[in-house]
Amino acid sequence: MSVHTVICGLGACLPERVVTNADLAARLDTSDDWIRTRTGIHRRRVVEPGTSTGDLAVSAGLAAMESGGLEADFVLLATTTPDRPCPATAPEVAHRLGLEEVPAVDVAAVCSGFVYALALADALLKAGTCERPLVIGAEVYTSIIDPQDRDTAVIFGDGAGAVLLRRGRRGEPGAVRAVDLGSAGAGSDLITVAVGGSRHPGRDEEVPPEQRYFRMQGREVYRQAIHRMTVSARSVLDRAGWQPPTVRAFIGHQANQRILDSVSDRLGIAARYRYGNIAEVGNTAAASIPLALADAAADGRIRPGSPTVLTAFGGGLTWGSAAVTWPDAVPVYLPPKTPTACRGPQPADESVPAQRNPLPWRLPASIESPQVP
């Protein structure tokens, strides 16, 4: 019998601090209406000083393992904002999760990172390298965003989401049926943080803000994202043997509501089957798909086993999609762990009691999902 990868646990973590469009409007010479109509975002979450990507990742990982009822034996952390340039953040996250000596690695594919890590975990499990991989997407994007740049400061937020995987059967809810990955390095300058790597270390010289912070060429990124996500999603639908009208859940990387609607329109997926939480949490990059998965699962409207498409696009350029059946898992939420600065790693048993459905950032019933032209 062939081996299949099954999503069995869903975890989520968001900072408590909420930043609304109104909070940004005066400082950035913009308005709530301008932000909502162009992005679909109402508010986003931001970490408190001293809270790192690893802190969020630990909470999301603990939550996913509690949801799945299993202990992971491999950790893949998708992030663009690691705690330090060296070493990778994943090994310390694994240690803090109580997973001593398990393999742990960072995956750097920007906003496509979660799908890349999911595909890698699927391959590792099928190869027999592990049996219960934990895939975490975690970001503190506010650490690389220019607070005065209207084009990016209104879009990004901080957060972490995770899925726990196990061996299972093809017909089970949560089964990974197909994956598709791609890249186009010719477009590497479209989304960048120019300084901080070996090409431009930026050690002593005065570094201008446009090189120190995250920058993207929005118009071309918009065009590329729609094209790449559409083609990639079609590929996994073909590999899974599904027709678009059979899809019952579409979750794209929560970059921009207009991008998400354009992709799903081109695929022919009805609006009622599109799920996301961009209005409430903004673009959390590699964390956005697992956070949206947890949010939709908490809603309880999707039947386990339903055909589901995940798709993402990010810097690199990178993109990826996965066809999965909707998991039969109850999401677990944990608030961020206490910051670890100057205190060393914390053992997993110090976790705060988990909260279950509904997740605490759910869109209030009085607020409708944004209608973006």
Side-chain angles (χ1 to χ4, degrees):
M1 180 183 296
S2 60
V3 174
H4 286 273
T5 305
V6 172
I7 299 170
C8 65
L10 300 171
C13 172
L14 282 172
E16 295 181 1
R17 181 184 170 199
V18 178
V19 176
T20 67
N21 292 346
D23 294 330
L24 299 175
R27 172 163 61 85
L28 297 174
D29 189 26
T30 185
S31 68
D32 173 66
D33 181 69
W34 188 92
I35 298 170
R36 283 189 295 106
T37 55
R38 286 161 177 78
T39 68
I41 298 169
H42 292 220
R43 54 188 68 83
R44 70 285 298 146
R45 296 297 183 98
V46 174
V47 298
E48 298 294 344
T51 300
S52 75
T53 292
D55 296 326
L56 302 182
V58 169
S59 290
L62 284 171
M65 289 194 293
E66 178 177 329
S67 172
L70 297 170
E71 185 173 276
D73 62 358
F74 204 117
V75 176
L76 297 98
L77 173 60
T79 187
T80 313
T81 57
D83 287 2
R84 295 172 288 185
C86 178
T89 304
E92 185 176 355
V93 168
H95 168 61
R96 292 176 61 191
L97 290 171
L99 305 174
E100 298 298 340
E101 300 187 5
V102 305
V105 63
D106 287 4
V107 178
V110 195
C111 297
S112 305
F114 176 79
V115 177
Y116 262 72
L118 180 67
L120 291 170
D122 177 50
L124 289 164
L125 188 148
K126 289 176 177 176
T129 305
C130 59
E131 294 188 354
R132 301 174 305 280
L134 176 65
V135 177
I136 307 171
E139 303 282 13
V140 177
Y141 241 71
T142 53
S143 66
I144 60 172
I145 293 297
D146 181 351
Q148 302 304 319
D149 178 19
R150 185 175 68 170
D151 292 337
T152 57
V154 303
I155 297 172
F156 291 94
D158 305 328
V163 298
L164 180 66
L165 308 169
R166 61 165 174 79
R167 288 173 173 260
R169 302 185 308 277
R170 176 183 173 85
E172 281 189 77
V176 178
R177 298 288 293 273
V179 295
D180 175 77
L181 303 174
S183 74
S188 61
D189 288 341
L190 295 180
I191 300 173
T192 61
V193 177
V195 168
S198 61
R199 184 174 298 279
H200 299 294
R203 291 191 185 99
D204 301 318
E205 67 269 23
E206 195 68 31
V207 179
E210 62 270 18
Q211 295 184 19
R212 187 187 312 120
Y213 293 115
F214 177 96
R215 288 288 187 268
M216 67 178 178
Q217 298 178 35
R219 185 165 298 182
E220 181 60 15
V221 168
Y222 184 94
R223 187 187 72 82
Q224 288 273 354
I226 292 172
H227 171 67
R228 301 296 189 180
M229 290 166 73
T230 301
V231 172
S232 182
R234 282 177 179 155
S235 176
V236 293
L237 284 169
D238 289 344
R239 295 179 194 181
W242 296 342
Q243 294 299 316
T246 69
V247 173
R248 291 297 177 266
F250 170 83
I251 295 180
H253 148 236
Q254 305 290 288
N256 179 298
Q257 190 63 48
R258 293 192 294 178
I259 291 175
L260 297 171
D261 289 341
S262 293
V263 173
S264 47
D265 284 345
R266 293 181 183 207
L267 292 171
I269 297 173
R272 66 183 179 275
Y273 300 131
R274 305 169 190 176
Y275 293 88
N277 54 7
I278 188 172
E280 287 297 286
V281 303
N283 182 352
T284 55
S288 70
I289 287 180
L291 280 171
L293 276 168
D295 192 63
D299 188 69
R301 287 186 292 163
I302 307 171
R303 180 180 299 176
S306 298
T308 300
V309 173
L310 314 175
T311 187
F313 172 86
L317 299 171
T318 60
W319 58 87
S321 300
V324 306
T325 54
W326 191 259
D328 186 10
V330 177
V332 172
Y333 166 78
L334 281 170
K337 297 287 287 182
T338 303
T340 61
C342 304
R343 299 202 297 113
Q346 300 172 12
D349 61 5
E350 291 185 9
S351 62
V352 183
Q355 297 180 17
R356 290 182 176 267
N357 186 4
L359 299 182
W361 63 86
R362 295 307 304 266
L363 194 65
S366 60
I367 302 177
E368 296 182 355
S369 297
Q371 298 298 313
V372 182

Tab-separated table of all heavy atoms in Angstrom, residues 1-48:
chain	number	residue	atom	x	y	z
A	1	MET	N	0.852	-1.201	0.000
A	1	MET	CA	0.000	0.000	0.000
A	1	MET	C	0.882	1.242	0.000
A	1	MET	O	1.828	1.334	0.760
A	1	MET	CB	-0.899	0.004	1.234
A	1	MET	CG	-1.831	1.211	1.316
A	1	MET	SD	-2.824	1.221	2.829
A	1	MET	CE	-3.791	-0.261	2.582
A	2	SER	N	0.572	2.197	-0.898
A	2	SER	CA	1.385	3.407	-0.988
A	2	SER	C	1.173	4.293	0.235
A	2	SER	O	0.119	4.286	0.865
A	2	SER	CB	1.021	4.190	-2.261
A	2	SER	OG	-0.331	4.552	-2.246
A	3	VAL	N	2.202	5.067	0.558
A	3	VAL	CA	2.166	5.956	1.717
A	3	VAL	C	1.575	7.298	1.299
A	3	VAL	O	1.925	7.855	0.248
A	3	VAL	CB	3.579	6.160	2.290
A	3	VAL	CG1	3.567	7.190	3.405
A	3	VAL	CG2	4.143	4.848	2.774
A	4	HIS	N	0.707	7.836	2.137
A	4	HIS	CA	0.148	9.159	1.891
A	4	HIS	C	0.292	10.024	3.136
A	4	HIS	O	0.264	9.527	4.269
A	4	HIS	CB	-1.326	9.066	1.480
A	4	HIS	CG	-1.509	8.577	0.084
A	4	HIS	ND1	-1.495	9.410	-1.023
A	4	HIS	CD2	-1.677	7.326	-0.388
A	4	HIS	CE1	-1.653	8.695	-2.117
A	4	HIS	NE2	-1.773	7.429	-1.761
A	5	THR	N	0.442	11.314	2.903
A	5	THR	CA	0.593	12.275	3.978
A	5	THR	C	-0.762	12.871	4.327
A	5	THR	O	-1.519	13.268	3.441
A	5	THR	CB	1.551	13.398	3.547
A	5	THR	OG1	2.792	12.820	3.134
A	5	THR	CG2	1.796	14.375	4.676
A	6	VAL	N	-1.064	12.935	5.620
A	6	VAL	CA	-2.368	13.416	6.083
A	6	VAL	C	-2.172	14.541	7.104
A	6	VAL	O	-1.379	14.402	8.043
A	6	VAL	CB	-3.183	12.267	6.717
A	6	VAL	CG1	-4.452	12.797	7.385
A	6	VAL	CG2	-3.536	11.223	5.669
A	7	ILE	N	-2.884	15.644	6.919
A	7	ILE	CA	-2.912	16.725	7.905
A	7	ILE	C	-3.825	16.297	9.046
A	7	ILE	O	-5.016	16.054	8.849
A	7	ILE	CB	-3.434	18.026	7.280
A	7	ILE	CG1	-2.513	18.484	6.138
A	7	ILE	CG2	-3.560	19.120	8.342
A	7	ILE	CD1	-3.085	19.634	5.324
A	8	CYS	N	-3.262	16.207	10.252
A	8	CYS	CA	-4.056	15.744	11.397
A	8	CYS	C	-4.171	16.774	12.513
A	8	CYS	O	-4.923	16.564	13.465
A	8	CYS	CB	-3.488	14.440	11.951
A	8	CYS	SG	-1.838	14.585	12.666
A	9	GLY	N	-3.416	17.877	12.439
A	9	GLY	CA	-3.469	18.886	13.483
A	9	GLY	C	-3.318	20.279	12.914
A	9	GLY	O	-2.558	20.487	11.963
A	10	LEU	N	-4.051	21.242	13.489
A	10	LEU	CA	-4.006	22.639	13.063
A	10	LEU	C	-3.745	23.529	14.268
A	10	LEU	O	-4.445	23.431	15.283
A	10	LEU	CB	-5.333	23.053	12.429
A	10	LEU	CG	-5.792	22.295	11.179
A	10	LEU	CD1	-7.226	22.683	10.832
A	10	LEU	CD2	-4.869	22.581	10.009
A	11	GLY	N	-2.728	24.387	14.175
A	11	GLY	CA	-2.399	25.287	15.271
A	11	GLY	C	-2.251	26.711	14.793
A	11	GLY	O	-1.905	26.958	13.632
A	12	ALA	N	-2.502	27.663	15.686
A	12	ALA	CA	-2.432	29.073	15.312
A	12	ALA	C	-1.968	29.915	16.484
A	12	ALA	O	-2.194	29.584	17.645
A	12	ALA	CB	-3.803	29.554	14.844
A	13	CYS	N	-1.319	31.023	16.154
A	13	CYS	CA	-0.861	31.987	17.159
A	13	CYS	C	-0.843	33.372	16.528
A	13	CYS	O	-0.295	33.549	15.429
A	13	CYS	CB	0.537	31.634	17.650
A	13	CYS	SG	1.280	32.880	18.732
A	14	LEU	N	-1.459	34.332	17.202
A	14	LEU	CA	-1.416	35.726	16.761
A	14	LEU	C	-1.089	36.627	17.943
A	14	LEU	O	-1.542	36.364	19.063
A	14	LEU	CB	-2.757	36.151	16.163
A	14	LEU	CG	-3.039	35.695	14.735
A	14	LEU	CD1	-4.470	36.028	14.356
A	14	LEU	CD2	-2.079	36.347	13.751
A	15	PRO	N	-0.312	37.686	17.706
A	15	PRO	CA	-0.071	38.661	18.774
A	15	PRO	C	-1.388	39.302	19.218
A	15	PRO	O	-2.349	39.374	18.448
A	15	PRO	CB	0.844	39.698	18.115
A	15	PRO	CG	1.406	39.030	16.908
A	15	PRO	CD	0.387	38.045	16.462
A	16	GLU	N	-1.427	39.785	20.445
A	16	GLU	CA	-2.648	40.391	20.966
A	16	GLU	C	-2.869	41.813	20.454
A	16	GLU	O	-4.015	42.276	20.370
A	16	GLU	CB	-2.607	40.399	22.488
A	16	GLU	CG	-2.621	39.003	23.104
A	16	GLU	CD	-2.607	39.045	24.618
A	16	GLU	OE1	-2.609	40.170	25.180
A	16	GLU	OE2	-2.598	37.966	25.232
A	17	ARG	N	-1.815	42.500	20.097
A	17	ARG	CA	-1.942	43.904	19.698
A	17	ARG	C	-2.579	44.024	18.314
A	17	ARG	O	-2.103	43.430	17.342
A	17	ARG	CB	-0.577	44.586	19.700
A	17	ARG	CG	-0.620	46.057	19.331
A	17	ARG	CD	0.784	46.632	19.265
A	17	ARG	NE	0.789	47.964	18.703
A	17	ARG	CZ	1.869	48.562	18.203
A	17	ARG	NH1	3.041	47.937	18.238
A	17	ARG	NH2	1.796	49.769	17.691
A	18	VAL	N	-3.661	44.790	18.223
A	18	VAL	CA	-4.376	45.024	16.975
A	18	VAL	C	-4.050	46.418	16.457
A	18	VAL	O	-4.121	47.403	17.199
A	18	VAL	CB	-5.900	44.887	17.177
A	18	VAL	CG1	-6.650	45.193	15.879
A	18	VAL	CG2	-6.250	43.498	17.682
A	19	VAL	N	-3.691	46.517	15.187
A	19	VAL	CA	-3.449	47.806	14.536
A	19	VAL	C	-4.482	47.959	13.424
A	19	VAL	O	-4.499	47.186	12.467
A	19	VAL	CB	-2.022	47.894	13.967
A	19	VAL	CG1	-1.826	49.213	13.216
A	19	VAL	CG2	-0.986	47.778	15.086
A	20	THR	N	-5.361	48.947	13.551
A	20	THR	CA	-6.419	49.159	12.575
A	20	THR	C	-5.954	50.084	11.456
A	20	THR	O	-4.914	50.746	11.555
A	20	THR	CB	-7.651	49.777	13.250
A	20	THR	OG1	-7.325	51.112	13.675
A	20	THR	CG2	-8.101	48.945	14.454
A	21	ASN	N	-6.758	50.136	10.402
A	21	ASN	CA	-6.454	51.070	9.327
A	21	ASN	C	-6.458	52.508	9.833
A	21	ASN	O	-5.651	53.327	9.391
A	21	ASN	CB	-7.469	50.914	8.198
A	21	ASN	CG	-7.330	49.590	7.477
A	21	ASN	OD1	-6.339	48.887	7.623
A	21	ASN	ND2	-8.336	49.237	6.695
A	22	ALA	N	-7.361	52.804	10.746
A	22	ALA	CA	-7.418	54.154	11.301
A	22	ALA	C	-6.127	54.510	12.037
A	22	ALA	O	-5.682	55.664	12.018
A	22	ALA	CB	-8.616	54.284	12.243
A	23	ASP	N	-5.512	53.519	12.676
A	23	ASP	CA	-4.252	53.767	13.378
A	23	ASP	C	-3.149	54.179	12.414
A	23	ASP	O	-2.233	54.926	12.786
A	23	ASP	CB	-3.810	52.507	14.131
A	23	ASP	CG	-4.750	52.127	15.258
A	23	ASP	OD1	-5.380	53.042	15.831
A	23	ASP	OD2	-4.864	50.921	15.551
A	24	LEU	N	-3.221	53.694	11.190
A	24	LEU	CA	-2.176	53.976	10.201
A	24	LEU	C	-2.482	55.195	9.339
A	24	LEU	O	-1.571	55.773	8.737
A	24	LEU	CB	-1.995	52.764	9.276
A	24	LEU	CG	-1.556	51.455	9.929
A	24	LEU	CD1	-1.552	50.333	8.890
A	24	LEU	CD2	-0.181	51.586	10.555
A	25	ALA	N	-3.753	55.587	9.276
A	25	ALA	CA	-4.182	56.579	8.297
A	25	ALA	C	-3.452	57.909	8.418
A	25	ALA	O	-2.934	58.442	7.426
A	25	ALA	CB	-5.685	56.786	8.408
A	26	ALA	N	-3.398	58.466	9.623
A	26	ALA	CA	-2.792	59.788	9.782
A	26	ALA	C	-1.295	59.755	9.505
A	26	ALA	O	-0.756	60.621	8.808
A	26	ALA	CB	-3.063	60.308	11.194
A	27	ARG	N	-0.631	58.745	10.036
A	27	ARG	CA	0.825	58.667	9.888
A	27	ARG	C	1.244	58.479	8.439
A	27	ARG	O	2.306	58.984	8.021
A	27	ARG	CB	1.356	57.521	10.754
A	27	ARG	CG	2.828	57.206	10.543
A	27	ARG	CD	3.392	56.376	11.680
A	27	ARG	NE	2.729	55.094	11.827
A	27	ARG	CZ	3.061	54.004	11.137
A	27	ARG	NH1	4.030	54.065	10.229
A	27	ARG	NH2	2.458	52.863	11.349
A	28	LEU	N	0.457	57.763	7.659
A	28	LEU	CA	0.842	57.420	6.298
A	28	LEU	C	0.092	58.212	5.241
A	28	LEU	O	0.180	57.907	4.054
A	28	LEU	CB	0.622	55.921	6.075
A	28	LEU	CG	1.463	54.995	6.948
A	28	LEU	CD1	1.052	53.542	6.755
A	28	LEU	CD2	2.942	55.164	6.625
A	29	ASP	N	-0.654	59.223	5.656
A	29	ASP	CA	-1.418	60.046	4.719
A	29	ASP	C	-2.297	59.171	3.820
A	29	ASP	O	-2.251	59.251	2.594
A	29	ASP	CB	-0.474	60.904	3.864
A	29	ASP	CG	-1.230	61.943	3.033
A	29	ASP	OD1	-2.342	62.333	3.442
A	29	ASP	OD2	-0.709	62.325	1.965
A	30	THR	N	-3.101	58.335	4.461
A	30	THR	CA	-3.995	57.447	3.729
A	30	THR	C	-5.320	57.402	4.477
A	30	THR	O	-5.584	58.243	5.339
A	30	THR	CB	-3.376	56.050	3.570
A	30	THR	OG1	-4.230	55.246	2.761
A	30	THR	CG2	-3.152	55.366	4.905
A	31	SER	N	-6.164	56.453	4.156
A	31	SER	CA	-7.466	56.357	4.806
A	31	SER	C	-7.888	54.907	4.903
A	31	SER	O	-7.378	54.040	4.176
A	31	SER	CB	-8.523	57.139	4.022
A	31	SER	OG	-8.772	56.501	2.764
A	32	ASP	N	-8.824	54.650	5.799
A	32	ASP	CA	-9.378	53.301	5.932
A	32	ASP	C	-9.966	52.847	4.606
A	32	ASP	O	-9.762	51.699	4.176
A	32	ASP	CB	-10.443	53.289	7.021
A	32	ASP	CG	-11.190	51.971	7.098
A	32	ASP	OD1	-10.561	50.959	7.450
A	32	ASP	OD2	-12.396	51.957	6.791
A	33	ASP	N	-10.684	53.698	3.916
A	33	ASP	CA	-11.311	53.330	2.645
A	33	ASP	C	-10.261	52.986	1.590
A	33	ASP	O	-10.407	52.015	0.845
A	33	ASP	CB	-12.193	54.481	2.160
A	33	ASP	CG	-12.899	54.151	0.855
A	33	ASP	OD1	-13.790	53.277	0.870
A	33	ASP	OD2	-12.550	54.760	-0.182
A	34	TRP	N	-9.187	53.779	1.531
A	34	TRP	CA	-8.129	53.527	0.538
A	34	TRP	C	-7.507	52.149	0.762
A	34	TRP	O	-7.288	51.389	-0.178
A	34	TRP	CB	-7.058	54.614	0.648
A	34	TRP	CG	-6.019	54.568	-0.437
A	34	TRP	CD1	-6.035	55.234	-1.624
A	34	TRP	CD2	-4.790	53.803	-0.425
A	34	TRP	NE1	-4.907	54.938	-2.363
A	34	TRP	CE2	-4.125	54.067	-1.654
A	34	TRP	CE3	-4.206	52.928	0.494
A	34	TRP	CZ2	-2.897	53.490	-1.972
A	34	TRP	CZ3	-2.985	52.357	0.166
A	34	TRP	CH2	-2.337	52.637	-1.041
A	35	ILE	N	-7.237	51.814	2.022
A	35	ILE	CA	-6.610	50.528	2.330
A	35	ILE	C	-7.556	49.373	2.030
A	35	ILE	O	-7.188	48.386	1.391
A	35	ILE	CB	-6.165	50.484	3.800
A	35	ILE	CG1	-5.110	51.564	4.073
A	35	ILE	CG2	-5.608	49.104	4.156
A	35	ILE	CD1	-4.790	51.762	5.545
A	36	ARG	N	-8.804	49.487	2.484
A	36	ARG	CA	-9.758	48.384	2.303
A	36	ARG	C	-10.059	48.116	0.845
A	36	ARG	O	-10.111	46.955	0.418
A	36	ARG	CB	-11.053	48.685	3.056
A	36	ARG	CG	-10.964	48.476	4.562
A	36	ARG	CD	-12.329	48.574	5.222
A	36	ARG	NE	-12.899	49.902	5.101
A	36	ARG	CZ	-13.900	50.227	4.276
A	36	ARG	NH1	-14.438	49.298	3.500
A	36	ARG	NH2	-14.365	51.463	4.229
A	37	THR	N	-10.262	49.162	0.056
A	37	THR	CA	-10.651	48.948	-1.338
A	37	THR	C	-9.506	48.396	-2.176
A	37	THR	O	-9.745	47.719	-3.185
A	37	THR	CB	-11.157	50.253	-1.976
A	37	THR	OG1	-10.168	51.273	-1.839
A	37	THR	CG2	-12.451	50.698	-1.320
A	38	ARG	N	-8.269	48.637	-1.774
A	38	ARG	CA	-7.129	48.150	-2.553
A	38	ARG	C	-6.562	46.823	-2.060
A	38	ARG	O	-5.882	46.130	-2.798
A	38	ARG	CB	-6.021	49.212	-2.577
A	38	ARG	CG	-6.363	50.374	-3.500
A	38	ARG	CD	-5.551	51.616	-3.206
A	38	ARG	NE	-5.878	52.682	-4.161
A	38	ARG	CZ	-6.965	53.425	-4.090
A	38	ARG	NH1	-7.837	53.225	-3.128
A	38	ARG	NH2	-7.197	54.365	-4.985
A	39	THR	N	-6.827	46.488	-0.795
A	39	THR	CA	-6.234	45.265	-0.241
A	39	THR	C	-7.238	44.324	0.388
A	39	THR	O	-6.979	43.133	0.504
A	39	THR	CB	-5.187	45.616	0.846
A	39	THR	OG1	-5.858	46.183	1.975
A	39	THR	CG2	-4.155	46.603	0.317
A	40	GLY	N	-8.378	44.837	0.868
A	40	GLY	CA	-9.325	44.016	1.610
A	40	GLY	C	-9.000	43.909	3.086
A	40	GLY	O	-9.662	43.175	3.822
A	41	ILE	N	-7.994	44.656	3.555
A	41	ILE	CA	-7.537	44.549	4.944
A	41	ILE	C	-8.223	45.604	5.815
A	41	ILE	O	-8.272	46.781	5.453
A	41	ILE	CB	-6.005	44.710	5.022
A	41	ILE	CG1	-5.323	43.591	4.223
A	41	ILE	CG2	-5.527	44.698	6.473
A	41	ILE	CD1	-3.833	43.809	4.013
A	42	HIS	N	-8.747	45.166	6.954
A	42	HIS	CA	-9.332	46.073	7.947
A	42	HIS	C	-8.349	46.353	9.082
A	42	HIS	O	-8.281	47.447	9.610
A	42	HIS	CB	-10.586	45.450	8.572
A	42	HIS	CG	-11.735	45.323	7.632
A	42	HIS	ND1	-13.036	45.570	8.000
A	42	HIS	CD2	-11.800	44.970	6.317
A	42	HIS	CE1	-13.845	45.366	6.974
A	42	HIS	NE2	-13.109	44.994	5.951
A	43	ARG	N	-7.634	45.319	9.502
A	43	ARG	CA	-6.720	45.422	10.645
A	43	ARG	C	-5.684	44.318	10.538
A	43	ARG	O	-5.825	43.398	9.749
A	43	ARG	CB	-7.494	45.315	11.968
A	43	ARG	CG	-8.358	44.079	12.077
A	43	ARG	CD	-9.254	44.101	13.306
A	43	ARG	NE	-10.276	45.128	13.211
A	43	ARG	CZ	-11.430	44.969	12.553
A	43	ARG	NH1	-11.700	43.831	11.931
A	43	ARG	NH2	-12.304	45.942	12.495
A	44	ARG	N	-4.647	44.409	11.360
A	44	ARG	CA	-3.598	43.394	11.379
A	44	ARG	C	-3.081	43.279	12.807
A	44	ARG	O	-3.325	44.136	13.656
A	44	ARG	CB	-2.466	43.711	10.392
A	44	ARG	CG	-1.568	44.856	10.697
A	44	ARG	CD	-2.158	46.238	10.461
A	44	ARG	NE	-2.514	46.497	9.075
A	44	ARG	CZ	-3.545	47.247	8.714
A	44	ARG	NH1	-4.314	47.824	9.631
A	44	ARG	NH2	-3.816	47.461	7.448
A	45	ARG	N	-2.323	42.187	13.089
A	45	ARG	CA	-1.750	41.965	14.420
A	45	ARG	C	-0.251	42.255	14.381
A	45	ARG	O	0.437	41.922	13.405
A	45	ARG	CB	-1.983	40.529	14.873
A	45	ARG	CG	-3.451	40.162	15.059
A	45	ARG	CD	-4.099	40.980	16.158
A	45	ARG	NE	-5.477	40.571	16.387
A	45	ARG	CZ	-5.857	39.741	17.344
A	45	ARG	NH1	-4.963	39.221	18.176
A	45	ARG	NH2	-7.133	39.418	17.483
A	46	VAL	N	0.251	42.836	15.482
A	46	VAL	CA	1.658	43.250	15.563
A	46	VAL	C	2.224	42.781	16.901
A	46	VAL	O	1.575	42.931	17.943
A	46	VAL	CB	1.783	44.786	15.431
A	46	VAL	CG1	3.215	45.234	15.652
A	46	VAL	CG2	1.292	45.237	14.060
A	47	VAL	N	3.443	42.246	16.887
A	47	VAL	CA	4.063	41.763	18.118
A	47	VAL	C	4.461	42.919	19.019
A	47	VAL	O	4.695	44.042	18.563
A	47	VAL	CB	5.315	40.905	17.833
A	47	VAL	CG1	4.960	39.662	17.036
A	47	VAL	CG2	6.390	41.720	17.122
A	48	GLU	N	4.552	42.627	20.312
A	48	GLU	CA	5.115	43.572	21.256
A	48	GLU	C	6.645	43.512	21.165
A	48	GLU	O	7.209	42.499	20.732
A	48	GLU	CB	4.668	43.225	22.683
A	48	GLU	CG	3.168	43.307	22.905
A	48	GLU	CD	2.622	44.719	22.772
A	48	GLU	OE1	3.429	45.682	22.819
A	48	GLU	OE2	1.394	44.865	22.621
